[in-house]
Amino acid sequence: MGSHWVRPYPPGVGRWLVIIWEAVALALLTWASIRQFDLIGHGVRAIAVVLAAVWVIGAWRIIQHGVYVSSEGVLIRGLLRSRILRWREIAGVHLHQATHRVGRWELQRDTTVLIERHDGATVNTELWAQGVDFHARPKLFRAVYQEIRNRHRAAGKA
């Protein structure tokens, strides 16, 4: 039985802005490299092809980046690696408000969705209330959190 992984939210506009920003940065890197090393002919084509390939692979990973659910569990796709957590491995799904101390000051970070495993370990998800997918859509962030919790509860009852 194959899993059908579904991302329970549409990607935000911020992803496309990041991809465009990376294209501009790599174009500038290409230009600077050509000028710095006085490349001509094949050298120009080679550096352009290599950096274009890097951009395509990076853009694809950014588009696929996120949290997916299925009847089997949660798939967390990061930029460099992906991991699957089966529902039976998950003890709970929680909202987490991180804080950092800098000297006497305490800095509040934003809310993230945190998965707690039965062995006591926690797994950070790619779901962040002020991230590229939810920055201007706080209701969607809460809805996605509830969707993951509800799927976890349903899997526990099955």
Side-chain angles (χ1 to χ4, degrees), residues 119-132:
D119 63 4
T122 57
V123 178
N124 292 321
T125 66
E126 306 298 328
L127 301 174
W128 179 50
Q130 291 297 316
V132 294

Side-chain angles (χ1 to χ4, degrees), residues 18-33:
V18 169
I19 290 170
I20 291 167
W21 175 260
E22 287 182 352
V24 170
L26 286 173
L28 289 173
L29 178 61
T30 303
W31 176 77
S33 297

Side-chain angles (χ1 to χ4, degrees), residues 90-111:
I90 299 173
V93 180
H94 311 286
L95 289 179
H96 177 69
Q97 184 78 32
T99 57
H100 296 288
R101 293 195 61 83
V102 178
R104 294 185 298 170
W105 296 287
E106 190 172 282
L107 304 173
Q108 294 256 194
R109 283 193 50 207
D110 201 24
T111 305

